[in-house]
Amino acid sequence: MNFAPLPSVDVAVVPSDGFVLDVREDDEWAAGHVEGALHIPMSDFVSRFGELTEAVEDGRRVHVMCRVGGRSAQVTQYLVQQGLDAVNIDGGMLAWDGAGRPMVTDNGNPAFVL
């Protein structure tokens, strides 16, 4: 079988208004996340898939994020198979934080990567 390489992008090229899907678990999300991201933990992903398709029905690209890129790679592969324009964010939240990209929390505490 021949698998196409997984589409992925560096954190530096994710547009500031780009659509980010965060597939980390709730405790990771609470520690710090990209403002405006859609949070659907990988463990809930299949049951909540409709939330994502509704959010991107305009056909925009989905930038998939986890902590380092493993879980998001699996989700990206699934989304591509479903015909969505999805890319994995290389290095995940650790790379995002390392690049100095902004992060927020829902409770106002300083954001960090768990």
Side-chain angles (χ1 to χ4, degrees), residues 47-70:
S47 63
R48 294 177 57 190
F49 182 62
E51 290 175 45
L52 174 65
T53 55
E54 196 173 293
V56 296
E57 61 190 357
D58 56 4
R60 62 187 154 158
R61 170 166 281 184
V62 180
H63 299 86
V64 189
M65 171 84 82
C66 68
R67 183 169 182 268
V68 291

Side-chain angles (χ1 to χ4, degrees), residues 1-7 77 80:
M1 287 185 136
N2 192 5
F3 290 102
L6 186 71
Q77 190 168 28
V80 169

Side-chain angles (χ1 to χ4, degrees), residues 10-90:
D10 188 86
V11 294
V13 301
V14 177
S16 57
D17 62 347
F19 182 82
V20 175
L21 170 68
D22 191 321
V23 299
R24 297 173 303 149
E25 295 305 314
D26 292 336
D27 57 338
E28 295 173 286
W29 169 266
H33 54 268
V34 176
E35 188 168 11
L38 175 63
H39 178 226
I40 304 179
M42 187 172 168
S43 54
D44 297 341
F45 193 74
V46 174
S47 63
R48 294 177 57 190
F49 182 62
E51 290 175 45
L52 174 65
T53 55
E54 196 173 293
V56 296
E57 61 190 357
D58 56 4
R60 62 187 154 158
R61 170 166 281 184
V62 180
H63 299 86
V64 189
M65 171 84 82
C66 68
R67 183 169 182 268
V68 291
R71 289 170 287 179
S72 54
Q74 293 176 51
V75 172
T76 300
Q77 190 168 28
Y78 176 78
L79 295 179
V80 169
Q81 288 169 347
Q82 306 305 311
L84 293 171
D85 179 8
V87 293
N88 188 33
I89 298 177
D90 278 337

